[in-house]
Amino acid sequence: MSVVTRVIDFTWKVGGQQGEGIDSTGEIFAQAMHRRGFYVYAYRHFMSRIKGGHTHYKIRVRSGPVWHRGDQDDLLVAFDQESIDYNLPQLRDGTAIVHDAAFVARVPEGRELELMPVPMTRLAEEQGRSIMKNMVAVGVSAAMLGLELADFETTIRDRFGDKGEQVVEANRKAFMAGYDYYKTHFTPRQVLADVVTDRPESAYLSGNDAIALGALVAGCRLLFAYPITPATEILYTAFKYFPRYGGAIVQGEDEMAAAFMAIGAGFAGVRAMTSTSGPGLSLMMESLGLAGIAEVPLVIVDVQRAGPSTGLPTKTEQGDLNTIVYGSHGESPRIVLAPSTVADCFHVMGRAFNLAEHYQCPVIVVSDLALGLSRQSVPVADLATGTWTWDRGLRVTDDELKDVTPGTFARYRLTESGISPRTVPGQPNGRFTSLSNEHSEISVEEESPENRVRQMHKRMKKLHGLDLSDWALEHHGPERADLLLVGYGSSYGPIAEVWRKLADEGARVGRLHLKALWPLPEAGLARYLEASRHVLVVESNYSGQVANLIKLRLGFKDRIRSCLKFDGNPFTANEIYRMAKEVV
Amino acid sequence: MARVTVMDYKQSIVEPSTWCPGCGDFPALAALQRACAGLGLSPDQVVVVGGIGCSSKAPSYFGAYGFHSVHGRAIPVATGIKLANRDLTVVVFGGDGDGYGIGLSHFLHTVRRNIDLVYMVMDNHIYGLTTGQASPTSRKGMKTKTSPYGTAEYPVRPLETALAAGASFVAQGFSGDVKQLTRLVEMAIKHRGFAYLNVLSPCVTFNREDTYDFWRENCVNLDDEPEYDPHDRTGAIRVVLQHEGLVRGLIYQEERPSFEAELPGLAKEPLARQFDLSFPEQDWARILKDFA
Ligand SMILES: Cc1ncc(C[n+]2csc(CCOP(=O)(O)OP(=O)(O)O)c2C)c(N)n1
Ligand code: SF4
């Protein structure tokens, strides 16, 4: 067998009606590509309903790292005409469309698209069950790409092994039916069978998976949540591992319950969190204030989706930042972290728990649907532990409490940093009553103006001078730039591609990914802004929330422009590219 | 440690100075103190959690750990505390507005969750702290500041509701009988599961209808009914309906595993005692293999 090493970069998409098993077709194909040694980025487009409505699963396959689903589609497997119509704008000219021969496919005049009818439903029925058209489609795709059954064996086994040997065999047969049909009637579009990649050992997981795992490794033992797209998968992954380490997952009756349970656990000395999306976050506003004034560590993960209200529940957006930074009545300290990549999602959780316990305040980890749900190949080396060191905050030891008269422990003692060492229930002589009311140092309700001012200063000054620039700014390119692309969350991938393209064209361009949004990493950020002629802040919302925050804190109003998108879909590279060309 | 006495539980620097003289919450607080001392619990192992209201201020007046949280959310806060440290005795102490109005959903769900908490509701049929508005347990037609023409709604029936929802422990006490109340609190603390104790606790300032005298005269004391069987749910619902909620004593109790015991995986040792959380490297490597 000749060994071929060449650049591979293509996208494959399968589309059909929701409830037809489109997801499993996509998942099997993606997993197999990952195991075959490629870098994979899998993006799921779906609607807020169980049956019906167009859905598709798009997979980008590369020989090198990938953080973006890609702007265009190279191969489309369509189970209905709607899948062709809906995806037409993305279909690259020359694209092959394999479609179920059960319908007569049409493409508009003048589009160079090759239609390849395959009787997928019929072939599946011949194998016994029409739902196996999904495996037929995988077989067709394998043949189309010059791959073999062997490349899919372990994936099929892992997926159906539980259901018995017969089911595995039936799926293998369905695969071969599609494979053989394609081979007899068409020629492969590519031959990947002998491609060897040099991808290091990698894991295939989503941002949500990584958040659950990151929390586990960071010592989180209690996860309280209420189901909501696109955050629920965090629970599923946690369910697999938390119980092995004595931890538990509790489905609360609503998001208020979840957040307040997490506060109770944090107060009692355990690393606890809650995960949600916009509607749940709105319900949690009161908890931010309580954790703020009672100075309890609290970690909230917000996997953003398109609002307001129910909005587009299965579509992506980055519209929650204002709420996260300013939400809840009164003023209280909080920290907002923002992972950009799946690996970040893993590492950020340790930092979140450390900061929450160190500063005794809420930490909100803000992700988004596109980052949370897209499974990607991530080198295991990028998921190595040790990017942060343990910090469980200031705790009073039992020894230090020996001579304390019960009831006099000064939980909210005024200190230089504003941070006061805490006790947890169970510690002898350490007792105090945590209060949502304004309180004195020994935690007694107190409303005098002097005390109020002292305690406000104490709480708010905890974060004065907190500047996470040393790790929260990922910068690439020349520091002196004509254009600086700025973003956070899932825009990482498209920004990286635009940056590469502009740089290849000879532009002096940098990119900066913000991994902390509050307090803003101002020292580092100001330096980069200072050195850039134009700044383009890329974010998925209408009003430019990050750009506004930067302008508010640092100025630079004349050089900052926004690249915005709020239609529910993630950015394409081209959208950012076009805007970038307008700016420079 | 020396024998625990009631004095240990009074060792709070804060006097219940915000409560009106004669408020029904005083005897209830005393009953809780006596019960904790009577059971020999160390005050450092007890946490009292309140929401917001006159009654919810109890944690500050009690010599133990406490959390005076926000309106309606005391139960979830207490739930988090208990799961974090299952060795603790966690008592929620609140009002009828806190528990049956804004926090009703947590109450019902915690009943079915059956987590090992004690839930004492100072049911005065009025909003005390906000100076006399209608509460979910105000009787129909009661005139309050927010029902100047009399309330239009029928009251919540918390006892029947809890029984119907499957509560494993339901009792009602009366602030005019501290002895019985203390015994009920002791039983509630000893009960493994969610022990719900409604307390008829007069608001002497804003409720002139539901008074000590009224409740003393009109409440049937189940302790005086030797044939009453507190292990029969149907009978319990019947007795509560029959007397329109005016019964006191242990109404229903059933032994069944508590939530912590049923949560798969939850460590037997309190999670809060794990201070060193470092994660075994080899475990992490193995977990990553699941994502190959
Ligand atoms: C979210 C919220 N809404 C309203 C209030 C105002 N509030 C404080 S206590 C209270 C009612 C208290 O009544 P109850 O729980 O019966 O306690 P009591 O004072 O009678 O003991 C209300 C409405 C609040 N603190 N928070
Ligand atoms: S207002 Fe009523 S409930 Fe509040 S302390 Fe006074 S008597 Fe008690």
Side-chain angles (χ1 to χ4, degrees):
Chain A
M1 187 168 89
S2 66
V3 171
V4 184
T5 307
R6 55 195 155 89
V7 175
I8 305 291
D9 185 356
F10 69 91
T11 61
W12 170 97
K13 183 184 271 182
V14 58
Q17 292 292 300
Q18 217 148 277
E20 277 191 330
I22 301 303
D23 285 355
S24 61
T25 314
E27 279 162 23
I28 292 168
F29 184 78
Q31 180 101 54
M33 291 297 102
H34 169 78
R35 290 186 175 174
R36 184 59 186 67
F38 295 109
Y39 286 89
V40 170
Y41 182 107
Y43 176 77
R44 192 175 152 224
H45 170 102
F46 62 114
M47 290 185 193
S48 186
R49 56 203 270 188
I50 303 303
K51 284 264 177 215
H54 172 70
T55 181
H56 67 245
Y57 209 103
K58 174 172 175 172
I59 290 147
R60 182 149 174 215
V61 180
R62 287 196 84 220
S63 44
V66 55
W67 294 282
H68 171 39
R69 70 199 159 123
D71 288 5
Q72 291 185 303
D73 298 344
D74 298 318
L75 301 169
L76 175 67
V77 178
F79 281 108
D80 54 15
Q81 180 63 36
E82 192 184 350
S83 296
I84 298 175
D85 298 340
Y86 188 95
N87 295 297
L88 265 179
Q90 287 82 253
L91 293 174
R92 200 191 293 279
D93 272 342
T95 294
I97 303 172
V98 174
H99 67 90
D100 198 335
F103 69 98
V104 182
R106 297 175 310 272
V107 291
E109 289 282 323
R111 286 294 308 264
E112 271 179 56
L113 298 164
E114 189 181 343
L115 290 171
M116 300 178 165
V118 177
M120 292 188 278
T121 306
R122 203 197 74 216
L123 290 172
E125 278 162 1
E126 284 168 14
Q127 298 303 317
R129 290 176 61 213
S130 65
I131 188 68
M132 286 203 302
K133 68 184 178 187
N134 298 303
M135 276 319 288
V136 175
V138 175
V140 169
S141 305
M144 210 174 180
L145 293 164
L147 289 161
E148 301 301 329
L149 175 61
D151 296 316
F152 293 79
E153 277 285 5
T154 66
T155 305
I156 294 175
R157 183 157 291 285
D158 285 358
R159 216 173 159 84
F160 302 105
D162 285 356
K163 299 184 180 139
E165 198 49 41
Q166 255 176 325
V167 178
V168 174
E169 194 44 41
N171 277 284
R172 240 193 242 121
K173 281 202 177 125
F175 177 101
M176 285 313 296
Y179 181 91
D180 289 339
Y181 188 96
Y182 185 95
K183 277 239 160 147
T184 332
H185 295 83
F186 310 105
T187 49
R189 309 286 295 194
Q190 308 201 31
V191 180
L192 299 179
D194 45 12
V195 170
V196 174
T197 68
D198 55 2
R199 191 198 68 189
E201 187 195 351
S202 297
Y204 179 58
L205 73 176
S206 68
N208 281 349
D209 289 328
I211 280 185
L213 297 174
L216 175 77
V217 170
C220 177
R221 290 293 172 268
L222 292 170
L223 166 54
F224 304 97
Y226 186 83
I228 187 167
T229 303
T232 312
E233 285 76 4
I234 295 174
L235 299 182
Y236 301 158
T237 305
F239 266 118
K240 276 189 226 141
Y241 300 103
F242 275 44
R244 292 188 203 167
Y245 296 90
I249 290 97
V250 176
Q251 177 174 334
E253 49 271 28
D254 53 42
E255 285 87 348
M256 293 180 284
F260 286 106
M261 286 175 188
I263 288 179
F267 165 77
V270 169
R271 290 193 161 187
M273 66 182 262
T274 179
S275 49
T276 188
S277 187
L281 183 78
S282 290
L283 289 179
M284 289 180 187
M285 284 300 113
E286 211 184 11
S287 70
L288 288 179
L290 177 61
I293 192 166
E295 305 198 40
V296 176
L298 169 68
V299 173
I300 298 177
V301 173
D302 174 26
V303 189
Q304 298 174 97
R305 67 188 213 185
S309 195
T310 307
L312 302 169
T314 60
K315 301 283 152 56
T316 202
E317 197 166 277
Q318 299 175 320
D320 295 353
L321 189 63
N322 289 345
T323 307
I324 291 171
V325 172
Y326 300 115
S328 196
H329 58 284
E331 296 161 297
S332 59
R334 65 197 62 179
I335 296 167
V336 184
L337 305 182
S340 278
T341 62
V342 171
D344 283 349
C345 287
F346 172 70
H347 300 297
V348 78
M349 295 311 290
R351 297 188 190 280
F353 282 103
N354 282 344
L355 290 165
E357 288 197 321
H358 184 97
Y359 292 101
Q360 304 174 9
C361 75
V363 174
I364 300 107
V365 174
V366 51
S367 171
D368 55 53
L369 181 143
L371 175 59
L373 294 188
S374 301
R375 295 179 75 187
Q376 302 165 44
S377 307
V378 184
V380 163
D382 292 353
L383 297 168
T385 58
T387 50
W388 45 266
T389 45
W390 292 93
D391 178 357
R392 299 226 47 196
L394 286 177
R395 293 270 289 263
V396 186
T397 62
D398 288 357
D399 226 31
E400 291 164 332
L401 289 167
K402 267 218 294 282
D403 301 321
V404 175
T405 308
T408 63
F409 172 64
R411 167 66 185 91
Y412 301 107
R413 186 154 60 81
L414 301 172
T415 60
E416 193 66 33
S417 64
I419 303 167
S420 333
R422 65 183 186 124
T423 57
V424 300
Q427 283 190 273
N429 304 339
R431 69 175 89 143
F432 68 98
T433 290
S434 220
L435 285 185
S436 65
N437 294 67
E438 190 56 270
H439 44 253
S440 66
E441 290 182 84
I442 50 170
S443 198
V444 175
E445 239 180 284
E446 203 198 308
E447 301 196 341
S448 76
E450 299 76 22
N451 178 69
R452 163 68 172 180
V453 171
R454 278 198 302 266
Q455 287 291 331
M456 276 298 277
H457 273 306
K458 166 194 159 20
R459 288 190 293 272
M460 299 308 279
K461 83 175 172 193
K462 288 193 288 186
L463 302 188
H464 285 177
L466 173 65
D467 191 310
L468 302 170
S469 294
D470 58 339
W471 64 264
L473 295 170
E474 181 182 326
H475 181 264
H476 301 264
E479 203 163 299
R480 297 231 140 263
D482 291 325
L483 175 66
L484 179 67
L485 299 166
V486 179
Y488 80 98
S490 64
S491 62
Y492 186 95
I495 289 178
E497 292 200 14
V498 174
W499 171 77
R500 166 66 49 216
K501 185 166 170 187
L502 290 167
D504 287 350
E505 290 170 5
R508 270 203 319 172
V509 55
R511 65 179 162 110
L512 182 64
H513 305 279
L514 305 174
K515 310 210 171 168
L517 297 172
W518 193 260
L520 265 184
E522 293 179 10
L525 185 53
R527 210 181 66 230
Y528 289 120
L529 295 179
E530 191 65 57
S532 307
R533 222 149 61 81
H534 298 282
V535 177
L536 188 60
V537 180
V538 180
E539 53 186 312
S540 293
N541 57 56
Y542 176 87
S543 58
Q545 300 183 5
V546 175
N548 289 338
L549 204 58
I550 295 174
K551 288 182 203 162
L552 179 77
R553 296 294 310 173
L554 296 171
F556 298 102
K557 290 195 171 93
D558 47 338
R559 66 184 77 171
I560 295 177
R561 290 189 60 188
S562 281
C563 177
L564 302 170
K565 182 171 185 179
F566 45 89
D567 69 357
N569 293 314
F571 275 104
T572 63
N574 197 39
E575 284 160 345
I576 302 171
Y577 178 78
R578 274 200 315 258
M579 183 77 195
K581 291 302 258 187
E582 264 177 46
V583 173
V584 283
Chain B
M1 181 173 168
R3 229 178 71 85
V4 183
T5 70
V6 175
M7 281 319 292
D8 292 306
Y9 283 97
K10 289 192 175 161
Q11 248 177 30
S12 164
I13 28 175
V14 191
E15 287 298 318
S17 53
T18 62
W19 286 350
C20 312
C23 174
D25 297 354
F26 283 108
L29 183 69
L32 179 60
Q33 286 164 331
R34 288 183 203 178
C36 287
L39 293 172
L41 302 175
S42 156
D44 300 313
Q45 295 289 332
V46 177
V47 188
V48 180
V49 185
I52 293 293
C54 292
S55 41
S56 293
K57 290 180 190 282
S60 289
Y61 307 146
F62 192 85
Y65 279 92
F67 202 141
H68 182 184
S69 68
V70 293
H71 200 30
R73 315 295 163 214
I75 293 181
V77 170
T79 298
I81 294 171
K82 183 69 189 182
L83 292 176
N85 188 339
R86 53 196 296 182
D87 278 2
L88 300 173
T89 298
V90 185
V91 179
V92 181
F93 196 104
D96 45 308
D98 198 72
Y100 308 146
I102 192 166
L104 180 66
S105 148
H106 305 311
F107 170 49
L108 275 184
H109 289 286
T110 309
V111 160
R112 69 185 184 90
R113 200 171 276 135
N114 198 38
I115 184 167
D116 190 12
L117 301 176
V118 174
Y119 184 33
M120 294 176 68
V121 184
M122 300 305 109
D123 186 2
N124 53 19
H125 299 196
I126 196 88
Y127 281 11
L129 186 63
T130 44
T131 71
Q133 298 83 13
S135 118
T137 49
S138 297
R139 30 180 132 165
K140 172 142 190 336
M142 184 167 159
K143 288 193 173 149
T144 70
K145 285 188 184 160
T146 48
S147 57
Y149 310 107
T151 53
E153 296 109 323
Y154 287 86
V156 161
R157 292 159 166 269
L159 299 173
E160 294 98 308
T161 305
L163 285 165
S168 65
F169 182 106
V170 179
Q172 182 156 267
F174 169 42
S175 288
D177 184 351
V178 195
K179 241 172 125 177
Q180 181 191 44
L181 191 51
T182 305
R183 218 162 21 80
L184 292 174
V185 178
E186 277 183 9
M187 291 167 86
I189 292 174
K190 281 198 277 191
H191 179 73
R192 260 170 305 186
F194 187 61
Y196 163 51
L197 172 56
N198 196 57
V199 182
L200 302 170
S201 172
C203 170
V204 294
T205 307
F206 296 108
N207 188 339
R208 296 299 152 95
E209 295 184 30
D210 304 288
T211 59
Y212 284 100
D213 285 346
F214 173 81
W215 274 324
R216 190 169 293 117
E217 280 155 31
N218 293 289
C219 249
V220 173
N221 188 347
L222 294 175
D223 291 352
D224 301 336
E225 315 267 317
E227 67 288 4
Y228 180 71
D229 174 12
H231 305 293
D232 168 13
R233 191 182 294 275
T234 318
I237 293 178
R238 195 177 307 119
V239 83
V240 174
L241 281 173
Q242 196 182 344
H243 300 290
E244 299 193 7
L246 293 172
V247 291
R248 58 193 177 93
L250 176 64
I251 297 168
Y252 182 74
Q253 184 170 20
E254 167 195 338
E255 283 296 328
R256 67 164 196 261
S258 67
F259 184 60
E260 317 86 90
E262 305 237 52
L263 255 188
L266 182 69
K268 297 279 175 277
E269 279 288 298
L271 291 172
R273 291 218 193 109
Q274 304 177 4
F275 192 76
D276 177 5
L277 296 168
S278 44
F279 199 79
E281 267 315 312
Q282 68 276 19
D283 286 22
W284 177 230
R286 206 169 318 127
I287 288 173
L288 277 175
K289 295 249 183 295
D290 295 345
F291 293 85

